[in-house]
Amino acid sequence: MIRFNNDYSAGAHPAVMEKLLKINSGRYPGYGEDPLSYEAADLIRKACAAPDADVHFLTGGTQANALMVTTALRPWQSAVCADSGHINAHEAGSVEHGGHRITALPSKDGKITAAQVEETALGFENNLFRDHVTEPKMVYISSPNELGCLYSRLELSDLSRVCREHGLYLFLDGARLAYGLGASDCDFTLADIAALTDVFYIGGTKCGTLFGEALVITNDELKYGFRNAMKQFGAMLAKGWLIGTQFGALFEGGVYEELGREADRKADRIRAEFAALGITPCAPGNTNQIFYYLDSRLADALSDRFVLEIMEKTADGKVMARICTSWYTSDEDVDALIAAVRNYS
Amino acid sequence: MIRFNNDYSAGAHPAVMEKLLKINSGRYPGYGEDPLSYEAADLIRKACAAPDADVHFLTGGTQANALMVTTALRPWQSAVCADSGHINAHEAGSVEHGGHRITALPSKDGKITAAQVEETALGFENNLFRDHVTEPKMVYISSPNELGCLYSRLELSDLSRVCREHGLYLFLDGARLAYGLGASDCDFTLADIAALTDVFYIGGTKCGTLFGEALVITNDELKYGFRNAMKQFGAMLAKGWLIGTQFGALFEGGVYEELGREADRKADRIRAEFAALGITPCAPGNTNQIFYYLDSRLADALSDRFVLEIMEKTADGKVMARICTSWYTSDEDVDALIAAVRNYS
Amino acid sequence: MIRFNNDYSAGAHPAVMEKLLKINSGRYPGYGEDPLSYEAADLIRKACAAPDADVHFLTGGTQANALMVTTALRPWQSAVCADSGHINAHEAGSVEHGGHRITALPSKDGKITAAQVEETALGFENNLFRDHVTEPKMVYISSPNELGCLYSRLELSDLSRVCREHGLYLFLDGARLAYGLGASDCDFTLADIAALTDVFYIGGTKCGTLFGEALVITNDELKYGFRNAMKQFGAMLAKGWLIGTQFGALFEGGVYEELGREADRKADRIRAEFAALGITPCAPGNTNQIFYYLDSRLADALSDRFVLEIMEKTADGKVMARICTSWYTSDEDVDALIAAVRNYS
Amino acid sequence: MIRFNNDYSAGAHPAVMEKLLKINSGRYPGYGEDPLSYEAADLIRKACAAPDADVHFLTGGTQANALMVTTALRPWQSAVCADSGHINAHEAGSVEHGGHRITALPSKDGKITAAQVEETALGFENNLFRDHVTEPKMVYISSPNELGCLYSRLELSDLSRVCREHGLYLFLDGARLAYGLGASDCDFTLADIAALTDVFYIGGTKCGTLFGEALVITNDELKYGFRNAMKQFGAMLAKGWLIGTQFGALFEGGVYEELGREADRKADRIRAEFAALGITPCAPGNTNQIFYYLDSRLADALSDRFVLEIMEKTADGKVMARICTSWYTSDEDVDALIAAVRNYS
């Protein structure tokens, strides 16, 4: 079976695994206070052109999101995101478990606009009953997002400006950031993200590591006490160097950017072929995730050799499916999928 | 100024104040373990035909809601309610502060249907990714609700059945229950509510007391440890007998039902008059709250002598206003309002 | 039965009840935004010589404590108090329920010293594993405390200095403040407390009101968003003016100070008489609470006419009992108790 | 430098690393629902003679503790443990962050007795003010504990009996379980632990894995909803098979027991040698951790070649140091340490 269902079906990128093996016989101080973690943090600060940023290594995305939101907000403050946002739709209420309400904004492509955020902020500021509602204080976006779409530099910059005007933190979930940076139409850099947000994370789990996300905090207000918060949350890995090592491997020789670019190129091939066959995606992204409403017979036919992620079955006999490439997708995998779809048509 | 803006603009009903005065020189055990509280609880159990119910006296509605939801649910479980439900719209994120997500269902009249609840329950049960979402476990309804509408006995009974079939608790917020029971078209009794829900509360603050709500727990699963939870939440009044005393005054001589009926009769007069003038309410309720989109000039004209609750101003120059009667609304107040509106038209 | 068990066995002080009655026919805006609350807040600011303080009216002590601690602290920060401190010993884990750890310091008289606080602060600052523990950030004291003892002005001033040096908030629980200010050896004023702490509350429930505490926030860092936090916590009374009214009655004509002084004078009579009979109290306070280890036969004998608070029974056949005077204790009550004890001896 | 400071200074045991490498090119379903995890869970159930146990793989000890305590307890319930217990002393208030109070019992060797637990349970049951305190509901023990001591089978059995009599859950933190099972005086088996507790975990991080703990739930009451709770807590690893794989490697060929036994044997050599030199440990354990008060000059002398964990410096010029062996400690490491100490003496 060839897996196109997600981008976390395989272990580590060879470069990552090699480095893990190499350092396995070493001995290191615990809890992320080790040379390997420091080195990786430096590489990341450099890649982000953010010399004063705090970099923390966490084990997974839901953990990073929940910990960051809970740590940043006071009890009566809430997070704002797209209705399809990962914290709203796929994390089992982790933000609410941390005590905070989410204001979910409607979105067709998983993105929210500066205008929506401004309206939300003004809605609170002008609310006649503002003591009776939560104060929006953090905007959560993901890029690429849950529908494979990417913010443009201008959109990020507008969001950033509105957030700063109204005193909201901008938090970018970069679980799939490599596949964003590698997209043919990506017009922002890591340094742009670092400059425009208050905190973001560079995803590892879906982009080459066994596990691990690198949280980058640029806003000083969010830095204090974070290691205590990590420990309290159960998010401080005893052998912290393991995550540092993996990010070191990804950022030393440009591996991170390359693996993203390659996966996107493969997704582009699939997009082009499906388009040629008249199958159009649900959302206009150019990253590694593509969502299609497929005829259920086609989905069935493909299921012999391919694993797609079936998101839902519609009333009119279609299935909404995700096709996902990743650093471990080969051109042969893509060839096989294309051949199978052509064959069916 | 004559206040029609809400039903909590005055102190206590005379019968309540009289009893508070009478017992003011007495001495009582603390924390609700006193004869006055026990007596009131007995009266309530009797009125509800629920001899085994636990009755707890709390100081306010948000407290009652937040405490009950938090105590009933396990960390990963969520509450379900109408989008306009009080816990979702007016309580500053208290349920989320307690760690729980709210699933808000769309509703035009503030009511949710058994079909909506069933769909929500099935949505979880059939969810392919059910580990990644919260489990709906409690349905919160208010009756009369935030738009002045009332559930019928059949609607309650359908909700109750669906909840029991799917293992959800049904919690009724009765902050304005007196005005529900007194409505001309009310077809349920306190005993019906006790039989059909797992827990509900009989509102005092808006129905004759200085403050205080009587929580009635009928489902045994929700009884254990509740006094500890109350104390922990800061919801156990040192002089608990004060709430017991007030509910005693309301339930001894039928005061509760009568004050609701009278307030509704006055609201009916307003409804009839406005209808005659061609002004139709936003929602079809027959309780003490009426919501109108008023021409803003009419609203301005009335604001000289009357306080209405201005909920919002619409783009087309209208205001959404609440007109609210209560136990302290006099027929003269109503006459004056009617005269003023007629005069304007 | 004559109740000496606590100071919350009776309703409201006559001056308070009279004012509640007087305003019962009025109509007021809700949620504490009314003239009666504003007036009372002004009286309190004046009595505290704290013109910029925020004053909030809450319904009870546990609520005030839990809400204030939770609102002031970030997730990884903890509160520090005496082991007998109310938040540590009598509030069913409300601070922990709010997510915060309590560091309890040993104390014989219920007081903690500046040296203990400094040691705690330094213990964190110098901790080699400080990421693995909570950061002490708020010191909670009560005065008079749970054993009837009072801090001196010098002790408060020392605590204040140490807290400011180490960046800790000082929070004083004044549930029984009237009985502190009225003590023969009290050397501080309300203005001293306002100047030396960051936040404190003036207790009503035990000092003349039906219910209600007045929280006074002097530190600007603790002011922002507090009304949202109150609402979220279920601590914002719909008829907020009821608490304002009661505090107005206490602070208009010096009632608060007088009732405290009178109750303390009665406690002094009891203390003197017991001392003359060779019965010495457990702790050296001069406020309205006195704790004795009594011979259990004496306790039994007294229990025919008097209610004392039996705290515990010791292995050697004694009982630890609280004798408590209050604004409603009469000289006749005291005479009767003294006669009974003399009679027994 | 030779590290004796802890047992988490190195990567993975060779058998673990080899298996991770081997499966790195495979493709697997996410979130722990994969053949490798199922296989490992089966091996663990078999090793525990607990065919009906639920086994969940978590990333670290603090996460396992916090998640389990929070999931098991209702809001007003508390955990009971030794004052030196890991959740009380080293986890930055994670249990309190989850909303629960810890009752810490005094202990010299890090163990608590059945009598202490019974006294705590009775203390609540007989408390005259039991609504005002938390209900002890879970007993947390670690074995080996934070001082290197081990419970005997009889002690565990007594604790288990008392817990069941009083309705408390018994939770064993087995972060170092391999070093407990391998101790010369260990008289219990994994099956004993499974039978005597309600839930426990088998530590991986300190016992051969890169990271990961295997939580074993035997009490049905604690099973429901746990995967949702994991996800909500950010504790569900996307590539769950990575932990399953590692535990598979440890339990397939007896690696887990052997590595524990070997590390303990090395610690025994150190203990014997130090004893011969008149240096006695702080606590009587026979596991891989040994705590000594060392003359600070000796500690200094050793610090040239060895890393010990300096826990604290005492007023009389000594240091409390931990010497810790592990699966990666070699006999040569031990020889060197012994030689250095002999040399110094």
Side-chain angles (χ1 to χ4, degrees):
Chain A
M1 296 293 287
I2 302 177
R3 285 189 169 267
F4 281 103
N5 56 326
N6 63 36
D7 35 21
Y8 44 88
S9 288
H13 186 279
V16 169
M17 203 64 194
E18 194 181 338
K19 189 162 180 186
L20 277 176
L21 256 183
K22 208 171 99 186
I23 61 100
N24 194 51
S25 54
R27 304 288 179 264
Y28 306 96
Y31 305 112
E33 298 189 307
D34 63 89
L36 290 161
S37 297
Y38 294 154
E39 226 173 86
D42 279 341
L43 285 168
I44 285 171
R45 273 187 284 262
K46 210 170 163 185
C48 297
D52 297 327
D54 279 4
V55 177
H56 300 284
F57 296 109
L58 301 168
T59 55
T62 298
Q63 183 185 83
N65 290 332
L67 172 57
M68 192 64 237
V69 175
T70 268
T71 305
L73 301 185
R74 306 287 299 275
W76 64 91
Q77 296 175 332
S78 51
V80 178
C81 73
D83 47 13
S84 54
H86 212 265
I87 56 170
N88 191 53
H90 307 291
E91 301 189 351
S94 64
V95 166
E96 292 89 350
H97 180 57
H100 301 284
R101 184 176 173 89
I102 294 173
T103 298
L105 304 177
S107 167
K108 289 207 166 153
D109 57 2
K111 299 200 287 188
I112 52 176
T113 65
Q116 282 180 298
V117 170
E118 187 161 43
E119 191 190 338
T120 304
L122 288 172
F124 174 73
E125 292 164 20
N126 299 330
N127 193 328
L128 298 171
F129 307 94
R130 64 187 278 182
D131 296 337
H132 298 246
V133 296
T134 54
E135 177 193 4
K137 184 67 184 174
M138 175 173 263
V139 170
Y140 164 95
I141 56 175
S142 39
S143 190
N145 65 27
E146 297 72 17
L147 298 174
C149 296
L150 208 57
Y151 285 89
S152 71
R153 198 192 172 292
L154 182 62
E155 289 168 335
L156 289 174
S157 161
D158 283 348
L159 279 168
S160 183
R161 181 182 42 75
V162 165
C163 284
R164 283 170 193 178
E165 281 170 14
H166 293 276
L168 282 78
Y169 301 122
L170 183 57
F171 174 28
L172 185 144
D173 169 339
R176 293 188 168 93
L177 201 46
Y179 306 120
L181 295 168
S184 57
D185 60 346
C186 177
D187 67 352
F188 62 76
T189 63
L190 273 176
D192 290 331
I193 294 179
L196 295 171
T197 67
D198 298 283
V199 53
F200 70 103
Y201 71 88
I202 299 173
T205 301
K206 290 162 179 165
C207 304
T209 63
L210 289 175
F211 65 95
E213 325 290 314
L215 188 77
V216 183
I217 306 181
T218 53
N219 185 331
D220 287 345
E221 287 176 30
L222 302 177
K223 290 176 179 173
Y224 183 71
F226 198 79
R227 279 179 56 82
N228 290 77
M230 275 175 70
K231 180 63 194 172
Q232 183 179 64
F233 201 88
M236 188 183 272
L237 203 67
K239 302 182 186 176
W241 72 84
L242 292 174
I243 315 184
T245 298
Q246 296 182 78
F247 274 92
L250 290 177
F251 276 82
E252 270 155 12
V255 177
Y256 196 70
E257 294 191 358
E258 195 193 319
L259 70 81
R261 205 161 43 229
E262 276 301 298
D264 289 340
R265 192 180 56 77
K266 282 156 193 160
D268 287 342
R269 287 184 57 205
I270 297 171
R271 261 187 292 268
E273 186 64 29
F274 275 59
L277 295 169
I279 309 175
T280 53
C282 306
N286 289 310
T287 67
N288 73 317
Q289 294 187 92
I290 332 171
F291 294 84
Y292 292 108
Y293 282 106
L294 298 181
D295 190 281
S296 62
R297 278 176 307 172
L298 170 55
D300 277 357
L302 293 175
S303 70
D304 282 350
R305 288 192 53 205
F306 305 94
V307 185
L308 311 187
E309 188 86 305
I310 304 305
M311 311 301 286
E312 56 168 304
K313 309 196 174 195
T314 65
D316 61 342
K318 298 213 163 189
V319 297
M320 212 262 220
R322 173 169 70 176
I323 294 178
C324 198
T325 63
S326 68
W327 59 265
Y328 52 83
T329 303
S330 69
D331 273 314
E332 289 71 33
D333 293 343
V334 175
D335 292 341
L337 179 66
I338 288 178
V341 176
R342 270 192 203 157
N343 214 33
Y344 175 83
S345 305
Chain B
M1 297 294 285
I2 302 177
R3 286 190 168 268
F4 281 105
N5 57 325
N6 64 36
D7 35 20
Y8 45 88
S9 288
H13 186 280
V16 169
M17 202 64 195
E18 193 180 341
K19 188 160 182 187
L20 277 175
L21 257 184
K22 208 171 99 186
I23 62 100
N24 194 50
S25 54
R27 305 286 178 264
Y28 306 96
Y31 304 112
E33 298 190 306
D34 63 90
L36 289 160
S37 297
Y38 294 154
E39 227 173 84
D42 279 342
L43 284 167
I44 285 171
R45 273 186 284 264
K46 209 170 165 185
C48 297
D52 297 328
D54 278 3
V55 177
H56 300 284
F57 296 110
L58 301 167
T59 55
T62 299
Q63 184 185 82
N65 290 333
L67 173 57
M68 192 64 237
V69 174
T70 268
T71 305
L73 301 185
R74 306 287 298 275
W76 65 89
Q77 295 174 334
S78 51
V80 178
C81 72
D83 46 13
S84 55
H86 212 266
I87 57 169
N88 191 51
H90 307 292
E91 301 188 353
S94 65
V95 165
E96 292 88 350
H97 180 58
H100 300 283
R101 186 175 171 88
I102 294 173
T103 298
L105 304 177
S107 168
K108 289 208 168 153
D109 57 2
K111 301 199 287 187
I112 52 175
T113 64
Q116 282 179 299
V117 170
E118 185 161 43
E119 191 190 337
T120 303
L122 289 171
F124 174 74
E125 292 165 19
N126 299 331
N127 194 327
L128 297 172
F129 307 93
R130 65 188 277 184
D131 296 337
H132 298 248
V133 295
T134 54
E135 177 193 3
K137 184 66 185 175
M138 173 173 266
V139 170
Y140 164 95
I141 56 175
S142 38
S143 191
N145 64 28
E146 297 72 16
L147 298 173
C149 297
L150 209 58
Y151 286 89
S152 71
R153 199 193 172 291
L154 181 61
E155 289 167 337
L156 289 175
S157 161
D158 282 348
L159 279 168
S160 183
R161 181 182 41 75
V162 165
C163 283
R164 284 169 192 179
E165 280 170 13
H166 293 275
L168 282 79
Y169 300 123
L170 183 57
F171 174 28
L172 185 143
D173 170 338
R176 294 189 167 92
L177 202 46
Y179 306 119
L181 295 168
S184 58
D185 60 346
C186 178
D187 68 350
F188 61 77
T189 63
L190 273 177
D192 289 332
I193 293 179
L196 294 171
T197 67
D198 298 283
V199 53
F200 70 103
Y201 72 87
I202 300 173
T205 301
K206 290 162 179 165
C207 304
T209 63
L210 290 175
F211 66 95
E213 325 291 314
L215 188 78
V216 183
I217 306 179
T218 53
N219 185 331
D220 286 344
E221 287 177 29
L222 301 177
K223 291 177 179 173
Y224 183 72
F226 198 79
R227 279 180 55 83
N228 290 76
M230 275 175 71
K231 179 65 194 169
Q232 183 179 65
F233 201 87
M236 188 183 270
L237 203 68
K239 302 183 185 176
W241 70 86
L242 291 174
I243 315 183
T245 297
Q246 297 181 77
F247 273 93
L250 291 178
F251 276 83
E252 270 155 12
V255 177
Y256 195 72
E257 295 192 356
E258 195 193 321
L259 70 81
R261 204 162 45 230
E262 276 302 298
D264 289 340
R265 192 181 56 76
K266 283 157 193 160
D268 287 343
R269 286 185 56 206
I270 296 172
R271 258 186 293 267
E273 186 64 29
F274 274 58
L277 295 169
I279 309 174
T280 52
C282 306
N286 289 311
T287 67
N288 72 319
Q289 294 187 91
I290 333 173
F291 294 84
Y292 292 108
Y293 282 106
L294 297 182
D295 190 282
S296 61
R297 279 177 306 173
L298 170 56
D300 277 355
L302 293 175
S303 70
D304 281 351
R305 288 191 55 203
F306 304 94
V307 185
L308 311 188
E309 189 85 307
I310 304 304
M311 310 302 285
E312 58 168 303
K313 309 195 175 195
T314 65
D316 61 342
K318 299 212 165 192
V319 298
M320 213 261 218
R322 172 169 69 176
I323 294 177
C324 198
T325 62
S326 69
W327 59 265
Y328 53 83
T329 302
S330 69
D331 272 314
E332 289 71 32
D333 294 342
V334 174
D335 291 342
L337 178 65
I338 287 178
V341 175
R342 269 192 203 158
N343 215 32
Y344 175 83
S345 307
Chain C
M1 297 292 286
I2 302 177
R3 285 189 170 267
F4 280 104
N5 57 327
N6 62 37
D7 35 21
Y8 45 87
S9 288
H13 186 280
V16 170
M17 202 64 194
E18 193 181 339
K19 189 161 182 186
L20 277 176
L21 256 183
K22 207 171 100 184
I23 61 101
N24 194 51
S25 54
R27 305 287 179 265
Y28 306 97
Y31 305 113
E33 298 189 307
D34 65 89
L36 289 161
S37 296
Y38 294 154
E39 226 173 85
D42 279 342
L43 285 168
I44 285 171
R45 272 187 285 263
K46 209 168 162 185
C48 296
D52 297 327
D54 278 4
V55 177
H56 300 283
F57 296 109
L58 301 168
T59 54
T62 299
Q63 183 185 82
N65 290 333
L67 172 57
M68 192 64 237
V69 174
T70 267
T71 305
L73 301 185
R74 306 287 298 277
W76 65 90
Q77 295 175 333
S78 51
V80 178
C81 72
D83 47 13
S84 56
H86 212 264
I87 56 170
N88 191 53
H90 307 292
E91 300 188 353
S94 65
V95 166
E96 291 90 350
H97 180 57
H100 300 284
R101 185 174 172 89
I102 294 173
T103 298
L105 304 177
S107 168
K108 289 207 166 154
D109 57 2
K111 298 199 288 188
I112 53 176
T113 65
Q116 283 179 299
V117 170
E118 186 160 43
E119 191 189 339
T120 304
L122 288 172
F124 174 73
E125 292 164 21
N126 299 330
N127 194 328
L128 298 171
F129 307 94
R130 63 188 277 183
D131 296 336
H132 299 246
V133 296
T134 55
E135 178 193 2
K137 183 69 185 173
M138 174 173 263
V139 170
Y140 164 96
I141 56 174
S142 39
S143 189
N145 65 27
E146 298 71 17
L147 298 173
C149 297
L150 207 58
Y151 285 90
S152 72
R153 199 192 172 291
L154 182 61
E155 289 167 335
L156 290 174
S157 162
D158 282 348
L159 280 168
S160 183
R161 181 182 43 76
V162 165
C163 283
R164 284 168 193 181
E165 281 170 12
H166 293 276
L168 282 78
Y169 301 121
L170 183 57
F171 174 27
L172 186 145
D173 170 339
R176 292 189 168 92
L177 202 46
Y179 306 120
L181 295 167
S184 57
D185 61 346
C186 178
D187 67 351
F188 62 77
T189 63
L190 274 176
D192 289 332
I193 293 179
L196 294 171
T197 67
D198 297 282
V199 53
F200 70 102
Y201 70 89
I202 300 173
T205 301
K206 290 163 180 165
C207 304
T209 63
L210 289 176
F211 65 95
E213 326 292 311
L215 188 77
V216 182
I217 306 181
T218 53
N219 185 331
D220 286 345
E221 288 177 29
L222 301 177
K223 291 176 179 173
Y224 183 70
F226 198 79
R227 279 180 56 82
N228 290 77
M230 275 175 71
K231 179 63 194 171
Q232 183 179 65
F233 202 87
M236 188 183 272
L237 204 67
K239 303 183 185 175
W241 71 84
L242 292 173
I243 315 184
T245 298
Q246 297 181 77
F247 273 93
L250 290 178
F251 276 83
E252 270 155 10
V255 177
Y256 196 72
E257 294 192 358
E258 195 193 320
L259 71 81
R261 206 161 42 229
E262 276 301 299
D264 289 339
R265 192 182 54 78
K266 282 157 192 158
D268 287 343
R269 287 185 56 205
I270 297 172
R271 261 186 292 266
E273 186 65 29
F274 275 60
L277 295 170
I279 309 175
T280 53
C282 305
N286 289 311
T287 68
N288 73 318
Q289 294 187 92
I290 333 172
F291 295 83
Y292 291 108
Y293 282 106
L294 298 181
D295 190 283
S296 62
R297 277 175 308 172
L298 170 54
D300 277 356
L302 293 175
S303 70
D304 281 350
R305 287 192 55 204
F306 304 94
V307 185
L308 311 187
E309 189 85 305
I310 304 305
M311 310 302 285
E312 55 167 302
K313 310 196 175 196
T314 65
D316 61 342
K318 299 212 161 187
V319 297
M320 212 263 218
R322 173 170 70 176
I323 295 179
C324 198
T325 63
S326 68
W327 59 265
Y328 52 83
T329 304
S330 69
D331 273 314
E332 289 72 32
D333 293 343
V334 175
D335 293 341
L337 179 66
I338 288 179
V341 175
R342 269 193 204 155
N343 214 33
Y344 175 83
S345 305
Chain D
M1 297 292 285
I2 303 176
R3 287 190 167 267
F4 280 105
N5 57 326
N6 63 37
D7 35 21
Y8 45 87
S9 288
H13 186 278
V16 169
M17 202 65 195
E18 193 180 340
K19 188 161 182 187
L20 277 176
L21 257 184
K22 207 170 100 186
I23 61 102
N24 194 51
S25 55
R27 305 287 178 264
Y28 306 96
Y31 305 112
E33 298 190 307
D34 64 88
L36 289 161
S37 296
Y38 295 154
E39 226 172 85
D42 278 343
L43 284 168
I44 286 171
R45 273 186 284 263
K46 209 169 163 185
C48 297
D52 297 327
D54 278 3
V55 177
H56 300 284
F57 297 108
L58 301 168
T59 55
T62 299
Q63 183 184 84
N65 290 333
L67 173 57
M68 192 65 237
V69 174
T70 268
T71 305
L73 300 185
R74 306 288 299 275
W76 64 90
Q77 295 175 334
S78 51
V80 178
C81 73
D83 46 13
S84 56
H86 212 266
I87 57 169
N88 191 51
H90 306 292
E91 301 188 353
S94 66
V95 165
E96 292 89 351
H97 180 58
H100 300 283
R101 186 176 171 87
I102 295 173
T103 298
L105 303 178
S107 167
K108 289 208 167 153
D109 57 1
K111 300 200 287 187
I112 52 176
T113 65
Q116 283 179 298
V117 170
E118 186 161 42
E119 191 190 337
T120 303
L122 289 172
F124 174 74
E125 292 164 20
N126 299 331
N127 193 328
L128 298 171
F129 306 94
R130 65 188 277 184
D131 296 337
H132 298 247
V133 295
T134 54
E135 177 193 3
K137 183 67 184 174
M138 174 173 265
V139 171
Y140 164 95
I141 57 174
S142 39
S143 190
N145 64 28
E146 297 72 16
L147 298 173
C149 297
L150 209 58
Y151 285 90
S152 71
R153 200 193 171 292
L154 181 61
E155 288 167 336
L156 289 174
S157 161
D158 283 348
L159 279 168
S160 183
R161 181 183 41 75
V162 165
C163 284
R164 284 169 192 180
E165 280 170 13
H166 293 276
L168 283 79
Y169 301 122
L170 183 57
F171 174 28
L172 185 144
D173 170 339
R176 293 191 167 90
L177 201 46
Y179 307 119
L181 295 167
S184 58
D185 60 346
C186 177
D187 67 351
F188 62 77
T189 64
L190 274 177
D192 290 331
I193 293 179
L196 294 172
T197 66
D198 297 283
V199 52
F200 69 103
Y201 71 88
I202 300 173
T205 301
K206 290 163 179 164
C207 304
T209 63
L210 291 175
F211 65 96
E213 325 291 314
L215 188 78
V216 183
I217 306 181
T218 52
N219 185 331
D220 286 345
E221 288 177 29
L222 301 177
K223 291 177 180 173
Y224 183 71
F226 198 80
R227 279 180 57 82
N228 290 77
M230 274 175 71
K231 179 65 194 171
Q232 182 178 66
F233 202 87
M236 188 183 271
L237 203 66
K239 302 182 185 175
W241 71 84
L242 291 174
I243 315 183
T245 297
Q246 297 181 78
F247 274 93
L250 291 178
F251 276 83
E252 271 155 12
V255 177
Y256 195 72
E257 295 192 357
E258 194 193 322
L259 69 82
R261 203 160 46 228
E262 276 301 298
D264 290 340
R265 191 181 55 77
K266 284 157 192 158
D268 287 344
R269 286 185 55 206
I270 297 171
R271 260 186 291 268
E273 186 64 27
F274 275 59
L277 295 169
I279 310 174
T280 53
C282 306
N286 288 312
T287 68
N288 73 318
Q289 294 186 92
I290 332 172
F291 294 84
Y292 291 108
Y293 282 106
L294 297 182
D295 190 282
S296 61
R297 279 177 306 173
L298 170 55
D300 277 355
L302 293 175
S303 70
D304 282 349
R305 286 191 57 203
F306 305 93
V307 186
L308 311 189
E309 189 86 306
I310 305 304
M311 311 302 285
E312 57 167 305
K313 308 195 176 197
T314 64
D316 62 342
K318 298 212 166 190
V319 298
M320 211 261 218
R322 171 169 70 176
I323 295 178
C324 198
T325 63
S326 69
W327 59 265
Y328 53 82
T329 303
S330 68
D331 273 313
E332 289 70 33
D333 294 342
V334 174
D335 292 342
L337 178 66
I338 288 178
V341 175
R342 269 193 203 155
N343 215 33
Y344 175 83
S345 308

